[in-house]
C-alpha cells in the first residue's frame, strides 16, 4: 500500500518560513521523481517544485524560485520543501506527489504526470 504523508504546515506571518515534509512508504523511493504542488481555494492545482531521483535536478516556477527549496533524503524516503520569505499568496493546501522515473535526472512538472499523492497540508500566510 502506497502512502505519502505530508506534515509541517501551519500558520505563519508574511516573511516567515516553514518546512514541509513528505514521508513515503510502499514504494522504492529512490526510483521515484518527487514533486510538490499547491491548491488555493477556487484555483487550479499548481506546480511548486520537483526533484529528480538522485536529487541533482530541481525545478521551480518563477513564483517560488529563490524562496523555496526542494530536497530529498533517499535513506529516509522523505522529500522536503523549505519555504522562506513566505507571502500571503503562498497560502494553499500543499501536496506531495510521486511517480516512477526511469532516468536519474528526469523531473516532471505537471500534476497529470504523477501517480501517487498525499492528503495535503494547509499553509496559511497571514498577519
Amino acid at each position: 500500500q502506497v502512502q505519502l504523508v505530508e506534515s509541517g504546515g501551519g500558520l505563519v506571518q508574511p516573511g516567515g518560513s516553514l518546512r514541509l515534509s513528505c514521508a513515503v512508504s510502499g514504494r522504492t523511493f529512490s526510483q521515484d521523481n518527487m514533486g510538490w504542488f499547491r491548491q488555493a481555494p477556487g484555483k487550479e492545482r499548481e506546480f511548486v517544485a520537483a526533484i529528480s531521483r538522485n536529487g541533482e535536478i530541481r525545478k521551480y516556477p518563477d513564483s517560488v524560485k529563490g524562496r523555496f527549496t526542494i530536497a530529498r533524503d533517499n535513506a529516509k524516503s522523505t522529500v522536503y520543501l523549505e519555504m522562506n520569505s513566505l507571502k500571503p499568496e503562498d497560502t494553499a493546501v500543499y501536496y506531495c506527489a510521486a511517480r516512477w522515473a526511469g532516468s536519474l535526472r528526469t523531473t516532471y512538472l505537471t500534476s497529470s504526470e504523477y501517480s501517487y499523492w498525499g492528503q495535503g497540508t494547509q499553509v496559511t500566510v497571514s498577519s
Side-chain angles (χ1 to χ4, degrees):
Q1 180 181 0
V2 178
Q3 283 193 313
L4 285 71
V5 181
E6 301 101 333
S7 60
L11 173 65
V12 63
Q13 292 187 341
S17 299
L18 279 176
R19 186 196 197 204
L20 306 183
S21 300
C22 173
V24 180
S25 59
R27 295 191 55 77
T28 305
F29 183 76
S30 61
Q31 294 183 356
D32 279 351
N33 180 255
M34 299 299 299
W36 285 96
F37 292 78
R38 67 186 180 188
Q39 188 165 20
K43 295 188 176 182
E44 293 186 354
R45 189 168 297 189
E46 66 171 341
F47 167 69
V48 174
I51 188 167
S52 61
R53 283 175 52 182
N54 62 4
E56 291 184 358
I57 307 300
R58 308 179 192 195
K59 297 287 181 65
Y60 309 92
D62 288 344
S63 58
V64 308
K65 196 174 293 183
R67 300 189 298 121
F68 290 12
T69 302
I70 188 171
R72 66 188 296 159
D73 186 336
N74 284 354
K76 296 182 178 179
S77 297
T78 300
V79 63
Y80 304 96
L81 185 68
E82 185 76 33
M83 304 185 294
N84 298 313
S85 302
L86 282 162
K87 306 175 181 180
E89 51 263 43
D90 294 318
T91 296
V93 177
Y94 284 69
Y95 300 89
C96 69
R99 65 152 290 159
W100 180 82
S103 166
L104 287 173
R105 295 170 60 83
T106 301
T107 55
Y108 299 89
L109 309 185
T110 62
S111 58
S112 61
E113 295 179 289
Y114 285 84
S115 305
Y116 302 96
W117 292 84
Q119 82 289 349
T121 185
Q122 177 70 46
V123 171
T124 302
V125 184
S126 175
S127 55

